[in-house]
Amino acid sequence: MGEKIPSEVPAALYPPVQRRAYGVHGIQRRHSAEEFPVEEWNEVLNVNLNSVFIPLSGGGEDHAEKGYGKIIDIASMVSWFDGQTVPAYTAVKGGVTKLSNDWIARGINVNAIAPGYTATEIPALCPVT
């Protein structure tokens, strides 16, 4: 995915860009906030947030040392508003957007893509209550 450097631009002004994507997977558990089992809460946080934080911290630091780079995280529309019966998922995706923001001040271009519901077998199996 190399970008061509225009011949009139000195290479020092156009450093090669490293790109990484994090959090392109996830799990979902549905319970009301007052009935959410702690074990399932921890499972959602571990899979959906820790698995973004751990590689992001290493990869982001690599970018920060160089002073440039691009990171793409996968958030969710529930990063900004409540999702019914998904308090752990909502907390996690809000956390992903905040982790993304942490790297911006260090010269790294960070985007968190926040899709809405997608027609897959997962939403079909989880009726809204």
Side-chain angles (χ1 to χ4, degrees):
M1 298 179 106
E3 298 178 28
K4 293 190 177 190
I5 300 172
S7 59
E8 65 276 4
V9 176
L13 299 177
Y14 197 82
V17 176
Q18 295 180 355
R19 296 174 187 90
R20 293 193 170 105
Y22 299 105
V24 294
H25 62 282
I27 63 169
Q28 179 65 277
R29 301 293 180 260
R30 288 186 178 269
H31 302 282
S32 64
E34 62 274 5
E35 296 176 359
F36 211 100
V38 172
E39 301 81 27
E40 290 187 26
W41 174 273
N42 289 335
E43 181 183 24
V44 172
L45 265 63
N46 190 44
V47 171
N48 295 3
L49 187 58
N50 292 345
S51 63
V52 173
F53 170 73
I54 292 167
L56 180 62
S57 62
E61 194 60 41
D62 181 49
H63 289 321
E65 287 174 9
K66 294 179 171 94
Y68 60 87
K70 294 180 185 283
I71 295 173
I72 300 169
D73 292 324
I74 306 299
S76 170
M77 66 180 183
V78 299
S79 300
W80 295 277
F81 61 85
D82 188 22
Q84 290 185 332
T85 69
V86 290
Y89 188 80
T90 301
V92 162
K93 292 306 183 174
V96 168
T97 62
K98 296 304 179 189
L99 288 173
S100 300
N101 291 340
D102 285 348
W103 295 103
I104 295 170
R106 302 174 89 184
I108 301 167
N109 179 285
V110 183
N111 290 289
I113 299 169
Y117 286 101
T118 305
T120 69
E121 66 278 359
I122 295 173
L125 295 172
C126 301
V128 176
T129 57

